[in-house]
Amino acid sequence: MNRKLFLHLLISILSVIAFVGIWHLFTAVLRVVSVNTLPDPMKVFTSFIKKFSNPNPDGATLLQHTAASLQVALTGYFYALIIGIPLGIMMAWNKYIDRFVRPLFDLLKPIPGVAWIPLMIVIFGLGIASKAAVVFFSAVVPCVLNSYTGIKQTKDVHLWVARTFGASHHQKLFTIAIPTALPHILTGVRVALGAAWVAIVAAELLGATRGLGFMIQQSRGIYRTDIIIVGMLAIGICGGILTSILTIISNFLLKGRR
Amino acid sequence: MKKRVALSLLLIVALALTSAHLFAGGASETSGPVKIRVGTMPNHIGVPIQYAAEKGLYKEAGLDVEVILFPTGAPINEALSAGKIDLAGSGMASVFALASGDTYWLGDYVKTVAGLGVYVRPDSPVLKEKGKFPGNPNVYGSKETVKGMVILGALGTSDQFEAVAWAQGFGLTGNDFQMLNMDRGPAVQAFKMGEGDAIACGGPPYNYELEAAGFVLAAGLTEVSGMDIADGMLGRKKFIDANTEEVEKFVEITYSVIDELFDSDEMLADYAMGFYNKNGKNYTTEMMKGEIKDKDYIGRKTISSPEYRFGSTMVGMGGFYVTDGKIEPELEKNIFASLRPDFLEKIYGIKITNFTN
Amino acid sequence: MRVDSTGSVDTVISCQRVSKEFSSKRGTTKVIENISLEVKRNEFVVLFGPGQCGKTTLMNVLSGLDTATSGTVYSLGEKVVRPGAERGVVFQSMALFPWLTVRGNVAYGPKARGFEKSVWIEKSDYYINLVGLKGFEDSYINKLSGGMKQRVGIARAYCNEPEVLFMDEPFSALDAQTRYLMQEEIMRIWSTEKRTIVFITNNIEEAVYVADRIILLTNCPAKIKKEYHIDLPRPRDYTSPEFLSLRDEISKNMDRTL
Ligand SMILES: Nc1ncnc2c1ncn2[C@@H]1O[C@H](COP(=O)(O)OP(=O)(O)O)[C@@H](O)[C@H]1O
Ligand SMILES: [Mg+2]
């Protein structure tokens, strides 16, 4: 490891230590607020470890909640990808489709995913479908927008090259436009993942029986701030892991371009 | 230069305006009477407090009381924990506040005789089983039929308690069924639309609505818990320790409403209905009559009787939730320690015995 | 082999009285005026003229990427209306595909035309070898030097095996040293694999070094000013008296850009 990298790592670690340190100071040492309002880091840490095996007070262990959230989030996210990316590509590639879809898309785009919750519960009931639909609406917008922008980056001269090689319209889309758009599409895929993960937590605050958002909601009003923070940590950690997986995948797909 | 000064001034003003609410919670120490922020609900629990406030009874006694209404006890707990309210008239969710060690229990003032319990659809398999609940042959259900159910209700309230108590009777725990968290109004709508297998009813007016829709009470709360279900008054320790006199006055006035005014059912019905309907409910005279039958206000008469035990609901439920894992065992002692019968003892000039199990 | 409009079996590409105008809000500009020419099989023709005179426009019309305002272009006796695989183009900006490796770029044409893998591997191997890029098959474009990129562009155009190859100022972006080297290289490649080449340049030395025939164009709108057949033996010597006198004569006749 070179020295600069080491220094950067050190600074990052220091920031975390400083944060936890201040937290510890204001809770365990100075006790500015009651332990029920804000538990100290050690208490949260032990609750976190305990929650792996202890279903109390919300009926399921941390892994069960995480699995439930992941299942719903990934379902909605998956549909957002397989619908949003092709839709964005088609809108950018074919102006008739663009004209047809755009007014509707522009109307729905600014509606935040969580605003769909009540309607989705009425339509799909309280099961996985309504929550997955909320995730879908949150994640589909960045997929469409980024795919669209990506296709629009296609250089005319690349399309001319393809034409002089006798490529069909279809071939131009798949061998020129989509490869050009790939970095943008992958950005959309990453942004959508973040949006999906945010949406699932919001969706689970209502009408859920499992999941990290449910766990947090359960712990409200029963003086279990420690479990609330454990839930937040789990959400952060999962989101971080999923994002790094995507980063690895997209680095692989984009290798050689930089 | 001037521009820059003006700009920074503007920035400071903006900051002050936007952050003012952050400090509003703690800054109640001003001159004049102490402001008492009281959280409660637009139902039978809130009636005496709202009445006293509206008729100016607190003001007459020199108290500055602000009543804040919440939909259930869970957000009342959050507000207590955050120091946004000082006292509360609340239901069973209070047990979590007491277990936290940050609050005192000042006294129960309204008892539920009927109306709380788990309802199911008429075709539910639960109704095919009867007599399997230990200690009460009228309760429906069995271990097999209750296990794995999806029960609608508000988390951290009596709804959850009803469902847990029912399941425990069959040797199950709160983790053997799924509680689908919804506020009470939406839960009733969702249940009518076919969601869930059962609904934990939060009391009037929802029990009337459920019965009108043809649903069946499978397990009444008093039957499954074997306990008196009483709602009452609690408050933040810090506030009560610092303002004992004011709190005592507050308790005294609130109980005087119950003792003197709510002796007459008509007068209570009149006032309560107006209060509920102003807060978005649709009570009919019929429903109101039912509620008066289902809820008994507790005053001097009950409290002075030698059988009366202070804090029985809270202590009983605390034990219950400890068994169920919702409250950590080491916190149970906080519930005993939170009982403060001395306010009522002083007001009524009597000796009160705490509940022990 | 088909017989073209002029009756010669050896004419690969020809045009008759071609003019090209661009219209915009501010009026029309004539860029090409009444050009007729004929390119014989395996001939190395240089379109030589001052900057901005209309060389690229003429190439676009000849290759079918753009249509003439009046006049007709023939390729192997057939009217040209759109680009086609028999007319390859090396663009001034190279227009290589950065998402593909050297192999992917070179094999693009045969793949687009549906050749089997074994065939396009064999073809691309041959042309990568021909331009001297053996060992770089799996390198991505952005890792290559300027001269290597030019080689990829040439190999890519060659690999599609067109009847005629248009090259639009392919070496204009290179430093002087590399430019000389690439001029030698294109001669070596062309003498190994004879093709009909229409080569655009505004560099007189380059024109005289590579051409069988130089077509001198006027300032915009471009007309044919004069044609020179260059009979000097190859490889040519930039410093020989014959080379220098030809260079001076053509230079004298070339219009000055303003
Ligand atoms: N698409 C176009 N629309 C309008 N004017 C054009 C267009 N393409 C080229 N021109 C004009 O035609 C002239 C010749 O351009 P070009 O053929 O690129 O010259 P060269 O390749 O000889 O440098 C220039 O003045 C240019 O501005
Ligand atoms: Mg040009």
Side-chain angles (χ1 to χ4, degrees):
Chain A
M1 197 190 299
N2 69 39
R3 278 182 62 186
K4 208 164 172 187
L5 207 69
F6 178 73
L7 190 74
H8 288 180
L9 197 71
L10 199 72
I11 293 172
S12 305
I13 293 172
L14 273 180
S15 92
V16 175
I17 291 178
F19 175 76
V20 176
I22 291 170
W23 176 11
H24 182 77
L25 181 73
F26 276 88
T27 51
V29 182
L30 299 176
R31 255 293 135 238
V32 175
V33 287
S34 148
V35 68
N36 298 302
T37 309
L38 185 63
D40 51 86
M42 203 52 215
K43 162 105 179 143
V44 170
F45 180 73
T46 44
S47 298
F48 190 88
I49 300 299
K50 268 199 219 154
K51 199 77 190 88
F52 275 96
S53 54
N54 186 358
N56 294 324
D58 43 66
T61 62
L62 190 57
L63 289 180
Q64 288 170 321
H65 284 306
T66 307
S69 289
L70 278 176
Q71 192 201 358
V72 177
L74 294 182
T75 305
Y77 179 60
F78 178 71
Y79 281 102
L81 296 189
I82 63 168
I83 292 172
I85 294 172
L87 186 66
I89 292 173
M90 293 321 295
M91 282 168 70
W93 192 241
N94 183 314
K95 67 172 182 294
Y96 294 104
I97 295 180
D98 193 14
R99 289 278 150 75
F100 183 76
V101 177
R102 183 153 293 272
L104 199 65
F105 182 72
D106 281 346
L107 183 73
L108 299 182
K109 187 176 64 183
I111 302 175
V114 290
W116 290 93
I117 294 174
L119 184 64
M120 289 303 109
I121 288 181
V122 172
I123 295 175
F124 291 115
L126 293 166
I128 177 170
S130 58
K131 285 183 269 300
V134 169
V135 171
F136 170 82
F137 282 115
S138 303
V140 78
V141 172
C143 286
V144 172
L145 289 181
N146 285 283
S147 306
Y148 184 92
T149 318
I151 296 290
K152 289 290 184 196
Q153 307 291 312
T154 308
K155 290 191 179 130
D156 283 341
V157 67
H158 283 153
L159 293 173
W160 295 340
V161 171
R163 287 177 74 193
T164 64
F165 283 130
S168 64
H169 195 61
H170 184 87
Q171 280 177 322
K172 279 191 282 181
L173 173 61
F174 282 95
T175 62
I176 308 292
I178 292 179
T180 303
L182 193 62
H184 280 87
I185 294 176
L186 290 171
T187 304
V189 164
R190 265 204 307 275
V191 174
L193 181 75
W197 200 229
V198 168
I200 181 60
V201 174
E204 281 172 353
L205 295 179
L206 277 174
T209 59
R210 271 274 160 90
L212 294 170
F214 169 80
M215 184 175 103
I216 289 175
Q217 180 69 6
Q218 260 278 29
S219 308
R220 293 179 61 188
I222 64 165
Y223 283 80
R224 288 305 297 268
T225 322
D226 56 329
I227 301 289
I228 293 177
I229 298 176
V230 167
M232 289 165 61
L233 279 176
I235 288 165
I237 292 169
C238 279
I241 291 174
L242 290 174
T243 310
S244 344
I245 293 174
L246 273 191
T247 306
I248 292 168
I249 294 175
S250 69
N251 282 346
F252 173 76
L253 288 175
L254 297 179
K255 72 169 187 295
R257 291 212 193 190
R258 246 151 285 157
Chain B
M1 193 60 210
K2 258 185 199 161
K3 239 186 196 166
R4 204 174 286 177
V5 171
L7 209 68
S8 15
L9 271 176
L10 202 74
L11 202 73
I12 291 168
V13 171
L15 262 175
L17 282 176
T18 49
S19 53
H21 73 276
L22 287 179
F23 305 104
S28 54
E29 263 63 52
T30 43
S31 55
V34 172
K35 182 167 191 112
I36 309 179
R37 296 160 303 169
V38 184
T40 188
M41 298 175 249
N43 60 16
H44 62 281
I45 303 175
V47 168
I49 295 171
Q50 179 72 20
Y51 182 89
E54 208 175 297
K55 303 288 170 190
L57 305 182
Y58 295 128
K59 205 181 230 162
E60 273 169 30
L63 298 178
D64 178 9
V65 171
E66 182 196 0
V67 178
I68 304 161
L69 297 177
F70 294 84
T72 68
I76 289 182
N77 281 351
E78 281 183 312
L80 278 171
S81 162
K84 297 287 178 194
I85 56 174
D86 308 308
L87 303 180
S90 184
M92 288 187 233
S94 311
V95 70
F96 297 107
L98 302 185
S100 78
D102 289 347
T103 57
Y104 291 131
W105 183 247
L106 303 174
D108 353 317
Y109 60 78
V110 56
K111 196 166 108 175
T112 297
V113 183
L116 292 175
V118 181
Y119 284 77
V120 296
R121 298 199 179 79
D123 59 353
S124 168
V126 162
L127 298 180
K128 298 203 174 63
E129 309 268 11
K130 201 173 184 181
K132 297 199 171 165
F133 193 91
N136 200 317
N138 294 326
V139 174
Y140 288 100
S142 62
K143 187 172 183 168
E144 293 70 36
T145 50
V146 171
K147 199 173 167 129
M149 273 188 133
V150 174
I151 302 179
L152 311 187
L155 291 175
T157 70
S158 61
D159 299 5
Q160 194 172 9
F161 179 58
E162 290 160 13
V164 172
W166 185 35
Q168 280 191 358
F170 301 116
L172 302 170
T173 74
N175 297 339
D176 287 321
F177 62 89
Q178 295 199 310
M179 189 87 196
L180 212 154
N181 181 38
M182 299 183 87
D183 276 344
R184 285 161 179 172
V188 171
Q189 293 317 312
F191 192 61
K192 281 182 175 172
M193 282 175 54
E195 291 296 339
D197 305 311
I199 178 168
C201 175
Y206 306 108
N207 51 332
Y208 309 126
E209 205 174 335
L210 291 168
E211 274 157 26
F215 300 125
V216 183
L217 180 67
L221 179 52
T222 19
E223 283 92 70
V224 292
S225 70
M227 280 191 313
D228 271 351
I229 306 303
D231 307 310
M233 234 181 277
L234 72 163
R236 290 191 295 123
K237 270 186 183 171
K238 262 192 195 154
F239 181 84
I240 294 173
D241 289 340
N243 305 284
T244 321
E245 254 172 66
E246 287 84 356
V247 172
E248 193 185 312
K249 264 192 212 158
F250 177 84
V251 175
E252 185 176 355
I253 293 164
T254 311
Y255 272 89
S256 76
V257 169
I258 291 165
D259 287 332
E260 288 154 38
L261 297 162
F262 286 4
D263 251 5
S264 132
D265 281 355
E266 290 87 65
M267 129 110 236
L268 173 60
D270 245 31
Y271 180 77
M273 237 173 94
F275 172 43
Y276 299 165
N277 290 344
K278 231 183 285 163
N279 283 287
K281 297 193 178 168
N282 287 307
Y283 261 64
T284 59
T285 341
E286 202 60 25
M287 286 158 80
M288 200 59 231
K289 262 191 208 144
E291 176 168 325
I292 287 177
K293 251 205 288 107
D294 292 347
K295 306 281 178 191
D296 278 350
Y297 285 93
I298 301 167
R300 178 192 288 274
K301 226 186 295 165
T302 315
I303 293 170
S304 320
S305 88
E307 297 91 63
Y308 179 76
R309 289 293 174 271
F310 187 86
S312 62
T313 306
M314 288 299 134
V315 172
M317 256 181 3
F320 210 88
Y321 277 132
V322 168
T323 315
D324 196 52
K326 297 268 182 294
I327 291 176
E328 309 267 287
E330 67 268 23
L331 297 181
E332 197 177 6
K333 61 177 190 309
N334 288 342
I335 301 175
F336 294 103
S338 75
L339 302 182
R340 290 288 300 271
D342 48 311
F343 286 94
L344 282 174
E345 284 180 331
K346 199 162 163 209
I347 291 164
Y348 288 140
I350 52 172
K351 192 87 198 109
I352 300 176
T353 317
N354 276 352
F355 180 84
T356 46
N357 52 359
Chain C
M1 190 169 293
R2 280 156 291 192
V3 179
D4 80 353
S5 59
T6 60
S8 161
V9 290
D10 259 1
T11 300
V12 177
I13 194 126
S14 68
C15 67
Q16 287 178 348
R17 287 185 300 282
V18 162
S19 297
K20 176 74 184 171
E21 290 170 0
F22 290 108
S23 317
S24 68
K25 277 182 218 138
R26 280 181 287 131
T28 57
T29 6
K30 189 163 234 183
V31 179
I32 297 172
E33 193 172 317
N34 202 22
I35 287 186
S36 300
L37 57 81
E38 233 173 71
V39 181
K40 298 264 184 271
R41 178 160 304 280
N42 294 346
E43 196 180 8
F44 202 120
V45 172
V46 170
L47 296 177
F48 178 65
Q52 295 301 304
C53 81
K55 303 182 294 292
T56 299
T57 308
L58 178 58
M59 180 198 79
N60 285 347
V61 170
L62 291 174
S63 65
L65 282 164
D66 206 343
T67 49
T69 313
S70 66
T72 321
V73 180
Y74 295 96
S75 164
L76 297 175
E78 286 186 19
K79 257 192 181 178
V80 168
V81 287
R82 65 175 70 85
E86 72 276 11
R87 276 159 279 130
V89 180
V90 177
F91 289 92
Q92 191 166 3
S93 62
M94 277 297 111
L96 299 175
F97 304 137
W99 58 89
L100 295 176
T101 58
V102 168
R103 156 99 62 213
N105 270 276
V106 173
Y108 183 86
K111 271 167 108 171
R113 292 162 70 190
F115 281 106
E116 267 176 42
K117 184 168 180 183
S118 59
V119 176
W120 61 252
I121 291 272
E122 193 186 325
K123 281 181 194 288
S124 54
D125 267 346
Y126 178 77
Y127 289 106
I128 288 169
N129 210 2
L130 179 68
V131 300
L133 283 179
K134 201 174 168 61
F136 290 95
E137 288 87 346
D138 297 324
S139 303
Y140 282 89
I141 300 305
N142 291 349
K143 302 274 188 300
L144 303 181
S145 69
M148 287 161 95
K149 285 182 187 165
Q150 303 306 315
R151 291 168 197 262
V152 177
I154 292 164
R156 182 174 69 176
Y158 255 96
C159 193
N160 206 34
E161 297 175 335
E163 291 291 337
V164 55
L165 250 165
F166 295 94
M167 297 189 184
D168 188 2
E169 304 192 31
F171 307 143
S172 59
L174 300 177
D175 61 85
Q177 201 61 40
T178 319
R179 189 163 186 161
Y180 281 127
L181 181 69
M182 285 309 295
Q183 288 163 9
E184 283 170 25
E185 280 293 285
I186 192 72
M187 281 297 98
R188 178 185 64 75
I189 293 164
W190 179 67
S191 42
T192 326
E193 276 290 327
K194 274 276 162 68
R195 286 290 187 289
T196 312
I197 292 181
V198 176
F199 189 100
I200 294 172
T201 185
N202 63 1
N203 178 306
I204 179 62
E205 264 192 328
E206 186 167 283
V208 177
Y209 187 77
V210 298
D212 284 334
R213 178 155 59 108
I214 294 176
I215 297 174
L216 177 62
L217 300 174
T218 63
N219 257 340
C220 194
K223 296 177 285 286
I224 296 183
K225 192 166 190 185
K226 206 165 172 54
E227 281 194 31
Y228 300 89
H229 286 267
I230 317 291
D231 297 324
L232 300 177
R234 298 175 205 267
R236 290 169 187 165
D237 178 359
Y238 294 105
T239 53
S240 71
E242 296 87 348
F243 191 99
L244 292 173
S245 74
L246 256 171
R247 192 185 106 158
D248 289 346
E249 187 193 334
I250 300 170
S251 280
K252 244 183 276 154
N253 274 324
M254 178 171 152
D255 291 354
R256 301 281 147 230
T257 27
L258 300 172

